[in-house]
Amino acid sequence: MIKYIIPIFFLLLSISAIAQQNIQGNVVDAATNQPIEGCSITLQPANIIAITDIRGRFSFKNKTKAGITVSVNCISYASQVLPIAALQAKNAISLAAKQVSLQDVTVVNNAGNQYKPISKTDIAMRGVNNSQEVLRIIPGIVIGQHQGGGKAEQIFLRGFDADHGTDFSEAVDGMPINMVSHAHGQGFADSHFIIPETIESVDFKKGPYTASKGDFCTTGFVDFNTKNALSSNVVKAELGMFNTYRALGMFNLLNKKAKEKQQSWYVASEYRYSDAYFDNPQHFKRFNLFTKYTGKLSAHTYLTVSATTFWSKWDASGQIPERAVDKGIIGFYGAIDPYEGGITYRTNANVQLVTTLNNGGLIKNQLYYSNYHFDLHTNFTFYLVDTVNGDEIRQKEDRDLVGYNGSYTHTGYVGNVKLATEAGINVRADLTHNTGLSHTVDRYTTLNQIKLGEISELSISPYLSETFSFNEHFSMNAGLRFDQFYHRYNNQLASDTTLPGIGVYKAQANTLSPKLNFYYHVNDRMQFYLTTGRGFHSNDTRAVVVTNGYEILPSAYGADFGTVVKPATNLLLNAAVWYIYLGQEFVYGGDGGDVSFNGKTKRVGFDFSGRYEPIKSLYIDVDVNYAHGRAIDEPKGANYIPLAPVWTSTGGITYTPKKGVNGSLRYRFVGNRPGNEDYSLTATGYFITDAVINYSTGKWEYGVVVNNVLNTKWKETQFDTETRLKGELAAVDEMCFTPGTPFCLKASVMYKF
C-alpha cells in the first residue's frame, strides 16, 4: 500500500507548488504583537478571500484588476479596510481587540471550518473559566464525572457514550491527551492538566472526516490551543461551599522590548482543594503549573516551547446501587466502599518549530514528551465475587509517551483552481511500566494480582489532504490517511488466564482511511456541506496480542449533510443530519474494564446550534442533539445500545458589557436513555441550571458562581451493574449511579495588572 501512496504524495505536492502569489501580508495582535490565525482577508472588489495561517500570513494570486482594497475581519478584533499599497510596505497589519458581536461574524468560504464561527464566538463571549467548561464549550457534548473531578470525564456525543475518550480524540497544542492501552480504559483522556484561563481557542469537528486526525476520531475531535501571550498579568482567588477553594496566578516573564521582537514567555499556576458534596469527604487536591515561550528566531522561523506539570489526589464515593439508597443503607450522597480514590500526575514538554518558505509554504515540526502516572482504586460490584473482603480493584500504570508531528502546507493555483495542500506524518510511541490490575482491600492491601505487564505501542501515520477551490462558491476536499500500529506486551504474570504464560507477545495491524468532503458557499451568509469519511478506534494492546492483531482497528464510516447560515445580522445557525457506522463498539460494565457489550452499531441523528444577539452584549446560545442508535446484529427489542444518549441539549444567556455587571444563566439536559440492551433498565435523564454573576471595575473583577441553581437531585453517571451488598444472599442487576452536585455557591475575586 505504501508504495502507491508515496508517489501520489509527491505528485500532488509538486502540483501545489507551481503558482506564485504576489499579494501577501500578515496580521498581528496589537496588544501582544503575536500572529493572529484565522482572520478573513477579502480582496475587493473581486471579493476574493484568504485566511491567515498559524503565522498570521495570507496571500492572493496576483490579479491587478481584482484588488483595490483589502478588508481585514477577525472575531473579537476591530475590522480594517486598507489600500493594496499598504501591503506593499510589508508592515504587519495590527488589529486591536474589541467586544465581540455577532454582527461581525460572517460565513467564510473556508472549506472544512464550518464550526469555526460558532467556536470562536463561544470562546470570546462565554469564555472558559473552570475545568468543567473545558469540554462543555463544544456544541453537542455532555460530560459526566464519577470521581468528583479526579479522573477523566465520561463523554457523550452523537449518541455515543464514548467512555473516557474511546471514540473522541483530544489534543492540546498538537499533543495528544488520549492514552492508548490505558490501565482504566482505551483512549482515556484526562484534560485536567489544562489551566482553563490559558485556553485561547478551541478547534473541533464532528465525525471522522479530517485526514490529520486518526485514532479515536470516530465521533469527532477537539484541539485546545493555549495562549501564545498574555495581555495582562492575572491573580485570582475562589472560595466556595463544601470547603472548596482555588488560587490562580498568570504572569508575563518578558518586557515590552521582547514583545516588539514577537517574543513572549509567561507562567501560569493553579491549586484547587475541595471536600465536595459527598458524605465521604473527597479531600480533592490538584496542582497545575504551565509555562510557554514563543519567539521569532528569524524572518522565517518561529519557535514555541511549553511545559506542564500536573498532580491530583482524591478520595471518592464511587458508583452506588439504587437499592442501597432506597433501603436507607446509605444516603443519596453516600458510599459503600470509603476507600475508593486515586492519585495521578503528568509532566509534559512540547516543542514546535514553524518555518515559512519562499514559495509561501509552511513547515511544522513538533516533538512532545509526557511522563505519566495513574493509580486508581474502585469497587463496582462490592461483594459480588469476594463476599468477605469485597471486590475493590486497583488499576495502575506508569507511562512514557513520546511523539513527533510533521506537516507541510501550501496554497497555490493550477489555472484558476486554488489548491490547498497539507501533507504530514504523526509518529507516537507509548511505553508503560508495571501496568497492573489487582484485587485489593482498604486501598493498601493487595489480595491477588489479576494482570501485570509492560506495554509498548508504536504508531506511524502519514496523511495527505488536498482542498480544491474551483471558484468562490464550490470547494472539494479529498484526504487519505494510513495508520500502522505495532503492539508489544511483556506479560509478567503466570496466572494471567488470557495468555499461555510469561513472556513477550507481539501483533501489528494497519488501516487506510479515505475522506471526501464538499462545500458550497452561497455567500457570506450561507454555506452547505457534505462530509464523508472512514475513521477508526484502536483496541487495547493486551487484547490485541491475544487475537494476534485480528480485527483490532474497527472501522467507523460516517457522513454529514449540513449548513451554516446567518439569516440576520444577529443570528447564526448550524444544522446537520448525520450517519455513523461502527464496526466494533465497547460498552464497559460498571466502568471496570469488563466489556458487557461488543458489536456492530449504527446511528443516525441531527445536530442544531443557534446563536442569537437580540441586543448588544446579550448572547443567547442553544444546542439540540438527537441520536437514534441500534446494534446491527441483535434482534429488535434487544438491540439498544447501553447508555447511548438520545436527546441532549445545552444552552444559556450571557450578558457581557465592557464593564459593570456581567453574567450568564446556563442549562444542560440529558433525556432518559437505555441502561441495557433490552431497555428494561433506564438511565434517568436530568435538567440542571448554573448561574454566573460578575462585577468588573477597572482592574478588579468580583464574581459568584452557582451550580445547580434549583438544587435538583440528579444522577450524573449511571451504569447497569450486577452487585452484591455485604450480607446479601443473591446478586442484583440494576442501575448504579454517581450523584451530581447539589446547590453549590462559589465566590471569586480577580485582579489584572
Side-chain angles (χ1 to χ4, degrees):
M1 186 66 68
I2 288 290
K3 67 179 181 180
Y4 297 110
I5 295 175
I6 292 177
I8 296 173
F9 267 52
F10 283 106
L11 175 63
L12 290 173
L13 287 175
S14 300
I15 293 173
S16 71
I18 292 175
Q20 295 181 349
Q21 300 158 331
N22 303 92
I23 301 175
Q24 56 189 0
N26 63 298
V27 182
V28 298
D29 184 299
T32 64
N33 202 32
Q34 292 294 313
I36 305 175
E37 182 182 5
C39 291
S40 174
I41 316 297
T42 306
L43 189 65
Q44 300 289 6
N47 198 36
I48 301 172
I49 298 174
I51 308 297
T52 56
D53 63 16
I54 192 174
R55 292 291 299 118
R57 302 180 312 152
F58 64 90
S59 58
F60 297 97
K61 185 177 180 181
N62 188 11
K63 293 184 177 181
T64 55
K65 296 181 180 180
I68 299 175
T69 63
V70 290
S71 62
V72 185
N73 297 278
C74 192
I75 295 174
S76 73
Y77 289 94
S79 301
Q80 291 189 28
V81 178
L82 303 169
I84 287 291
L87 300 182
Q88 297 172 351
K90 296 185 178 180
N91 293 323
I93 301 171
S94 181
L95 297 185
K98 61 162 287 189
Q99 189 175 0
V100 180
S101 173
L102 276 179
Q103 294 183 9
D104 302 327
V105 178
T106 58
V107 181
V108 178
N109 184 13
N110 188 18
N113 285 276
Q114 61 268 29
Y115 300 107
K116 199 75 172 182
I118 285 179
S119 67
K120 292 194 72 172
T121 307
D122 281 355
I123 284 285
M125 296 289 278
R126 290 166 47 191
V128 182
N129 295 313
N130 61 71
S131 58
Q132 294 296 304
E133 292 298 323
V134 169
L135 284 171
R136 287 178 182 155
I137 201 71
I138 304 164
I141 273 198
V142 175
I143 61 172
Q145 175 56 258
H146 48 270
Q147 284 274 354
K151 65 177 183 180
E153 285 86 2
Q154 189 178 2
I155 300 169
F156 303 98
L157 177 65
R158 285 200 160 178
F160 278 77
D161 172 2
D163 197 49
H164 300 291
T166 304
D167 291 292
F168 186 68
S169 174
E170 298 182 40
V172 57
D173 291 333
M175 180 180 65
I177 298 175
N178 301 75
M179 294 291 184
V180 297
S181 304
H182 189 271
H184 185 68
Q186 179 70 343
F188 189 86
D190 185 354
S191 60
H192 292 123
F193 64 87
I194 305 173
I195 299 175
E197 287 86 352
T198 65
I199 296 175
E200 175 71 24
S201 63
V202 176
D203 296 326
F204 68 88
K205 293 179 187 176
K206 299 175 185 178
Y209 313 129
T210 305
S212 61
K213 301 298 178 181
D215 203 1
F216 309 121
C217 186
T218 52
T219 62
F221 73 87
V222 60
D223 286 342
F224 299 106
N225 304 302
T226 59
K227 299 176 186 292
N228 284 334
L230 301 180
S231 56
S232 62
N233 301 318
V234 176
V235 176
K236 186 176 183 180
E238 301 175 2
L239 179 65
M241 296 171 60
F242 310 118
N243 197 22
T244 299
Y245 54 85
R246 176 178 181 249
L248 167 74
M250 299 171 62
F251 307 99
N252 283 301
L253 300 177
L254 298 181
N255 57 26
K256 291 183 179 180
K257 288 185 178 180
K259 184 182 76 171
E260 294 171 359
K261 299 177 182 179
Q262 285 199 333
Q263 292 181 329
S264 170
W265 183 21
Y266 70 91
V267 63
S269 184
E270 68 166 349
Y271 177 79
R272 185 174 188 269
Y273 179 89
S274 180
D275 283 334
Y277 49 87
F278 301 99
D279 295 342
N280 183 43
Q282 192 180 21
H283 305 303
F284 172 76
K285 308 177 188 72
R286 181 167 70 219
F287 172 77
N288 274 324
L289 178 66
F290 174 71
T291 187
K292 187 174 185 180
Y293 169 84
T294 56
K296 187 176 182 180
L297 301 183
S298 68
H300 296 282
T301 308
Y302 200 77
L303 175 68
T304 301
V305 180
S306 62
T308 312
T309 189
F310 153 80
W311 176 89
S312 183
K313 184 178 181 181
W314 67 97
D315 297 324
S317 293
Q319 296 149 207
I320 56 177
E322 292 180 341
R323 69 184 184 281
V325 177
D326 295 339
K327 294 179 179 180
I329 299 173
I330 58 173
F332 190 78
Y333 301 102
I336 300 295
D337 185 344
Y339 293 98
E340 294 192 52
I343 182 172
T344 184
Y345 45 85
R346 178 173 180 170
T347 299
N348 307 308
N350 192 358
V351 180
Q352 300 181 64
L353 194 68
V354 177
T355 305
T356 59
L357 305 179
N358 291 331
N359 70 344
L362 187 146
I363 296 176
K364 296 181 190 176
N365 288 287
Q366 177 183 21
L367 284 171
Y368 59 84
Y369 168 77
S370 290
N371 177 262
Y372 174 77
H373 173 85
F374 180 84
D375 192 349
L376 180 70
H377 289 261
T378 47
N379 192 342
F380 306 104
T381 55
F382 309 113
Y383 292 89
L384 176 67
V385 179
D386 189 331
T387 58
V388 176
N389 300 297
D391 301 341
E392 183 183 280
I393 60 171
R394 181 188 191 189
Q395 296 167 311
K396 181 181 180 298
E397 71 165 58
D398 291 287
R399 177 185 301 251
D400 289 300
L401 163 63
V402 62
Y404 167 78
N405 295 324
S407 67
Y408 169 78
T409 57
H410 181 270
T411 300
Y413 292 84
V414 179
N416 290 323
V417 177
K418 185 178 180 180
L419 181 62
T421 298
E422 179 181 1
I425 187 168
N426 308 132
V427 180
R428 170 176 176 165
D430 289 74
L431 305 171
T432 77
H433 318 285
N434 298 317
T435 296
L437 172 65
S438 56
H439 178 199
T440 59
V441 62
D442 298 341
R443 191 183 292 191
Y444 302 105
T445 304
T446 299
L447 299 178
N448 66 287
Q449 196 76 37
I450 302 170
K451 270 191 170 299
L452 182 65
E454 296 182 339
I455 297 169
S456 300
E457 184 170 331
L458 172 67
S459 61
I460 303 172
S461 310
Y463 66 90
L464 177 66
S465 176
E466 295 285 353
T467 302
F468 303 86
S469 298
F470 298 100
N471 51 48
E472 64 269 24
H473 297 296
F474 181 61
S475 301
M476 180 184 75
N477 168 262
L480 189 64
R481 181 183 180 90
F482 179 79
D483 289 89
Q484 176 71 51
F485 286 83
Y486 299 93
H487 299 267
R488 182 181 184 274
Y489 182 58
N490 182 8
N491 180 33
Q492 299 172 345
L493 191 65
S495 59
D496 188 336
T497 58
T498 64
L499 294 167
I502 293 176
V504 174
Y505 299 85
K506 298 180 181 180
Q508 60 176 285
N510 57 62
T511 187
L512 193 65
S513 303
K515 327 283 183 178
L516 187 60
N517 308 308
F518 302 92
Y519 304 90
Y520 185 74
H521 185 256
V522 180
N523 50 42
D524 62 359
R525 290 180 177 272
M526 181 177 290
Q527 181 188 61
F528 293 95
Y529 58 90
L530 173 64
T531 52
T532 65
R534 180 188 185 277
F536 69 97
H537 68 221
S538 64
N539 286 348
D540 191 294
T541 290
R542 289 162 293 184
V544 167
V545 296
V546 172
T547 63
N548 197 28
Y550 178 68
E551 293 185 351
I552 66 167
L553 300 173
S555 301
Y557 294 93
D560 274 48
F561 177 68
T563 182
V564 182
V565 59
K566 195 179 181 189
T569 58
N570 59 349
L571 179 62
L572 180 65
L573 306 174
N574 174 218
V577 293
W578 54 267
Y579 167 86
I580 189 166
Y581 161 89
L582 191 59
Q584 184 185 60
E585 180 164 341
F586 286 164
V587 176
Y588 289 94
D591 200 26
D594 297 324
V595 178
S596 64
F597 176 88
N598 179 1
K600 300 176 182 177
T601 59
K602 63 179 179 180
R603 291 170 172 84
V604 295
F606 69 82
D607 295 337
F608 171 81
S609 295
R611 304 293 184 264
Y612 179 52
E613 191 176 22
I615 60 174
K616 188 176 181 180
S617 304
L618 186 64
Y619 186 66
I620 301 174
D621 65 280
V622 62
D623 300 304
V624 179
N625 312 97
Y626 171 77
H628 176 85
R630 294 292 185 269
I632 293 176
D633 298 328
E634 302 299 326
K636 186 176 181 179
N639 60 344
Y640 292 94
I641 304 171
L643 306 180
V646 181
W647 285 98
T648 61
S649 180
T650 59
I653 302 174
T654 304
Y655 180 61
T656 55
K658 288 184 178 179
K659 59 182 180 178
V661 177
N662 63 83
S664 66
L665 178 66
R666 303 199 58 75
Y667 78 87
R668 56 190 186 274
F669 164 78
V670 176
N672 290 347
R673 52 200 168 96
N676 55 2
E677 292 87 343
D678 62 5
Y679 213 155
S680 59
L681 294 174
T682 299
T684 308
Y686 56 82
F687 182 92
I688 304 297
T689 54
D690 302 318
V692 177
I693 301 175
N694 297 312
Y695 177 73
S696 300
T697 172
K699 297 180 179 181
W700 293 89
E701 181 174 271
Y702 308 91
V704 174
V705 176
V706 182
N707 296 124
N708 194 357
V709 173
L710 303 177
N711 200 24
T712 302
K713 189 172 283 189
W714 60 295
K715 300 172 181 177
E716 186 164 10
T717 59
Q718 299 166 76
F719 298 92
D720 168 23
T721 310
E722 186 179 10
T723 63
R724 189 203 316 261
L725 301 179
K726 193 166 188 177
E728 286 186 333
L729 298 178
V732 178
D733 187 8
E734 65 175 341
M735 298 304 296
C736 295
F737 69 94
T738 299
T741 180
F743 178 91
C744 178
L745 186 146
K746 180 176 63 177
S748 66
V749 58
M750 180 171 65
Y751 177 65
K752 295 183 178 180
F753 60 99

